[in-house]
Amino acid sequence: MIDPLGALVLTFIVMSVISVIGIILMFLVKNEKVKNGLFYFMTVWGMIVAYCNASGLPENWTGAIALAWGLGAMSVAALLVQLCMKGEKKFLISRLLVTVSVAAGVLDCFIL
């Protein structure tokens, strides 16, 4: 049987691995359909990471909770940029926003 602290460490390692592999593949894959699928997965993943961060903090840490939800909101902003913006730069901007959201969310989970 695994102790609760071990389960948390295992969860953090799995979250980190999924995040790193997803970010790397999002920029290296050449197929546009796969790239778009990875983008949408990573936007949802950024929101999941934000939820895990925010729900794991004490209720009186309002600043840290707001930071966690703000990092999740960056994924929503990336999705809006992808869907609403015109031009060729939208793909790069939206993928960079998702990258920052996921990477900063996992770091926030580690630091706090």
Side-chain angles (χ1 to χ4, degrees):
M1 183 171 175
I2 191 165
D3 64 311
L5 188 57
L8 285 174
V9 169
L10 186 62
T11 303
F12 177 73
I13 290 171
V14 170
M15 284 175 58
S16 300
V17 168
I18 291 172
S19 299
V20 169
I21 290 173
I23 289 170
I24 290 171
L25 287 177
M26 193 170 54
F27 284 101
L28 293 182
V29 170
K30 300 293 183 192
N31 187 344
E32 284 300 318
K33 287 186 179 183
V34 174
K35 191 179 279 194
N36 283 335
L38 282 167
F39 168 76
Y40 291 121
F41 171 75
M42 292 305 288
T43 57
V44 172
W45 184 249
M47 293 177 225
I48 291 170
V49 169
Y51 171 75
C52 290
N53 283 343
S55 66
L57 293 171
E59 289 182 12
N60 61 347
W61 289 19
T62 54
I65 292 172
L67 175 66
W69 284 120
L71 293 173
M74 286 181 68
S75 287
V76 175
L79 187 62
L80 291 174
V81 166
Q82 178 79 8
L83 296 175
C84 298
M85 195 173 158
K86 304 286 187 220
E88 294 182 21
K89 295 251 181 187
K90 75 176 187 175
F91 299 114
L92 180 62
I93 293 170
S94 61
R95 284 177 176 82
L96 287 176
L97 280 171
V98 167
T99 300
V100 170
S101 172
V102 171
V106 170
L107 284 176
D108 184 38
C109 184
F110 180 68
I111 293 171
L112 294 177

